[in-house]
Amino acid sequence: MKHLNKLFVAVVMFIGLSSQAQDSNNPWAISFGTNAVDTRVSAASKIEDQFSQYFNVNGNWNILPSVSYFNVSRNVGGNFSFGVSGSINKVKRWVLPRVTIPGVYSVVNPGDLNYYAADGDIKYSLASWLGWKVIDPSIHVGGGYTSIGDASYGTANGGFGLTFWFSEMVGLSLQSTYKYSFDQTTRIANSDVPSHMQHFAGLTFKFGGKDTDGDGIYDKDDACPEVAGLKQFKGCPDTDGDGIIDGSDSCPDVAGLAELQGCPDTDADGIADKDDACPEVAGPKALNGCPDADGDGIADKSDKCPQVKGPKENGGCPWPDTDGDGVLDKDDKCVDVKGTVANNGCPEISEEQVNKLNAYAKTILFNSGKSSFQQQTFVVLQSITAILKEYPSSKFTIEGHTDSDGKDASNQKLSEDRAKAVKDYLVTNGITADRLSSAGFGESKPIDSNKTNAGKANNRRVEVNLVK
């Protein structure tokens, strides 16, 4: 297992050192300073105990008062960088839990054990994400190999850091790393490598600035470091030679006018060709540079009647009146049938037709005590449907009535059901539901005496009334 861990660390370091990605003026950095080792984190049985004495420098930290770590890192794209580091220390403080007293810990000297570590990490800078320049917070993950006395083992690392930049190239770096050891069976000094915290404080120097595009302008001073350009434009190119740099030129490959952001205007109508729907023919800006021969506000190329004024809603053509009733088709609810202006171009039903409807309605027959139709009634219903279809804008109410036989409540419900049955039939056969309503009146509105059979038959009826 130890050999596999060593191989893992070697591969990680090799990947970091051989990476060639670059997107920063100074992709390389070296850091050096002092480090501290704290073994309390793995001794604690509870999370709050692991970090409760995070800054207990005099009690738990092992510090070698000299330059005790060195780091080399390189930007590998965006805010990511990869680094390798080596560190040494002397472990004189070894934190152990007191088994008999939970939450209480002892610090012992394990014998001034030598500490050596080689680590590799991937770091992500949060400075640009936060919009900061002088203060550079970061997070990192990685792995390494650590020796404490005669014990050595691989670790998985993670932590956070903070760099204060004194200048563009020099900064003060602070970092804390949690090292999870894969050797966690016991905490015997000189035999095991426990999980622990390692803190770093030192100076960081960035370097490696280049002239990426080879235009003789250093990248940090080059406004366009990836593309060769001219000194008078701070390193940015002007491909079409119109005096406007490509980055500000909306048409970088064709010479144009400064007032049009470097784009040409072939028809001289004040609209750049790239925005001109008719670049060869002058036209108003309101129509994206296209002409309007009939002056109706619709460009000729979109006008179905370019020589005659018409509304936009009709493609630039005048509205027709197909049935010649004086109501334009756009407002005519009965385009193919002459009607009246008052009835939105639809014919108005006459009193004679209303009477005809009710003559039919009186012949509607239901099965006794039910709302289902007798077979001979369907011919009558079809005739009513045909009349209603001739007047598509007229609305009607279907009313149901009964004689006085039976209980009032039963008669009321029966009248409502029969009126609704007629309405449902009409809707099913093509009459829109919003034109119809139904209501039942039971025995409350007789039109004849309920003392004779003939009178009762007259009172059992359906009426179709025009809604005005």
Side-chain angles (χ1 to χ4, degrees):
M1 178 62 75
K2 290 186 178 182
H3 293 298
L4 289 176
N5 286 328
K6 291 178 181 178
L7 179 60
F8 167 76
V9 173
V11 170
V12 170
M13 291 182 177
F14 174 77
I15 292 173
L17 291 173
S18 61
S19 174
Q20 297 300 314
Q22 174 187 338
D23 68 349
S24 171
N25 283 341
N26 295 284
W28 288 96
I30 60 171
S31 300
F32 56 85
T34 189
N35 78 93
V37 175
D38 183 358
T39 62
R40 176 184 173 84
V41 67
S42 61
S45 59
K46 297 185 297 183
I47 293 178
E48 55 265 33
D49 287 350
Q50 292 179 349
F51 300 98
S52 62
Q53 296 189 30
Y54 184 87
F55 293 106
N56 189 352
V57 178
N58 295 323
N60 299 330
W61 287 21
N62 295 279
I63 303 175
L64 194 63
S66 64
V67 174
S68 57
Y69 88 90
F70 185 83
N71 173 273
V72 178
S73 63
R74 178 183 173 85
N75 179 277
V76 292
N79 296 324
F80 289 95
S81 62
F82 186 90
V84 293
S85 61
S87 59
I88 61 174
N89 210 314
K90 184 76 71 173
V91 177
K92 300 180 180 181
R93 293 167 177 164
W94 188 275
V95 181
L96 294 172
R98 293 189 183 180
V99 178
T100 57
I101 308 177
V104 178
Y105 304 90
S106 300
V107 179
V108 300
N109 187 335
D112 290 2
L113 302 179
N114 290 326
Y115 178 99
Y116 302 99
D119 301 286
D121 64 56
I122 295 176
K123 180 182 294 184
Y124 182 78
S125 171
L126 302 172
S128 60
W129 184 69
L130 295 171
W132 297 351
K133 292 183 178 180
V134 176
I135 301 176
D136 181 6
S138 63
I139 56 176
H140 62 273
V141 294
Y145 203 78
T146 299
S147 293
I148 303 178
D150 294 333
S152 59
Y153 227 88
T155 62
N157 305 338
F160 57 91
L162 197 62
T163 301
F164 300 89
W165 293 107
F166 305 133
S167 68
E168 184 181 358
M169 313 290 283
V170 182
L172 170 65
S173 295
L174 305 175
Q175 180 174 302
S176 287
T177 300
Y178 173 73
K179 292 187 172 183
Y180 173 80
S181 174
F182 295 101
D183 179 24
Q184 280 284 61
T185 56
T186 63
R187 292 181 53 79
I188 301 174
N190 230 23
S191 176
D192 300 314
V193 175
S195 298
H196 58 280
M197 292 291 296
Q198 189 172 17
H199 310 288
F200 304 87
L203 294 175
T204 296
F205 298 87
K206 291 193 295 185
F207 62 96
K210 293 182 178 180
D211 177 15
T212 303
D213 55 20
D215 59 2
I217 304 170
Y218 194 57
D219 282 2
K220 69 183 183 67
D221 300 318
D222 196 331
C224 303
E226 304 294 333
V227 185
L230 305 174
K231 189 172 183 178
Q232 60 268 36
F233 294 136
K234 294 184 178 180
C236 290
D238 175 19
T239 302
D240 55 19
D242 58 3
I244 304 169
I245 63 172
D246 291 355
S248 302
D249 196 330
S250 297
C251 302
D253 298 316
V254 184
L257 307 173
E259 58 268 28
L260 294 178
Q261 291 77 49
C263 290
D265 177 16
T266 302
D267 55 16
D269 59 2
I271 304 170
D273 289 354
K274 71 180 184 67
D275 301 319
D276 197 329
C278 302
E280 305 295 331
V281 184
K285 189 173 183 179
L287 296 177
N288 295 321
C290 289
D292 175 19
D294 57 14
D296 58 3
I298 305 170
D300 291 350
K301 69 184 186 68
S302 302
D303 197 332
K304 294 180 180 179
C305 302
Q307 303 302 322
V308 182
K309 287 186 177 182
K312 184 178 182 179
E313 294 77 12
N314 199 40
C317 293
W319 286 107
D321 178 13
T322 302
D323 55 17
D325 59 3
V327 181
L328 298 178
D329 287 358
K330 72 181 183 68
D331 302 316
D332 198 328
K333 293 185 178 180
C334 301
V335 176
D336 299 314
V337 182
K338 284 187 177 182
T340 64
V341 174
N343 202 33
N344 299 315
C346 291
E348 295 189 68
I349 189 169
S350 64
E351 184 176 350
E352 179 183 356
Q353 289 291 76
V354 173
N355 292 335
K356 188 175 181 181
L357 280 173
N358 277 300
Y360 280 129
K362 289 178 181 178
T363 65
I364 295 175
L365 299 177
F366 295 92
N367 292 313
S368 179
K370 299 179 179 179
S371 60
S372 57
F373 301 115
Q374 294 185 17
Q375 188 62 38
Q376 62 267 38
T377 289
F378 288 106
V379 175
V380 175
L381 291 171
Q382 291 169 6
S383 298
I384 294 175
T385 302
I387 294 175
L388 297 188
K389 286 183 177 180
E390 293 179 14
Y391 304 95
S393 66
S394 298
K395 295 185 178 182
F396 300 87
T397 179
I398 314 298
E399 297 180 357
H401 302 271
T402 68
D403 58 29
S404 61
D405 289 349
K407 296 180 179 180
D408 291 351
S410 298
N411 287 337
Q412 177 63 34
K413 185 176 186 307
L414 181 61
S415 67
E416 292 173 356
D417 292 345
R418 286 180 171 179
K420 185 177 184 300
V422 174
K423 175 188 174 184
D424 290 345
Y425 176 89
L426 296 174
V427 171
T428 301
N429 286 272
I431 307 302
T432 57
D434 62 353
R435 294 179 54 201
L436 301 173
S437 62
S438 65
F441 296 94
E443 58 188 72
S444 64
K445 292 186 177 183
I447 59 173
D448 205 341
S449 171
N450 279 308
K451 295 181 179 181
T452 65
N453 290 334
K456 291 179 180 179
N458 288 334
N459 289 335
R460 294 191 300 271
R461 70 194 186 281
V462 171
E463 295 180 0
V464 181
N465 296 316
L466 177 67
V467 177
K468 297 183 179 180

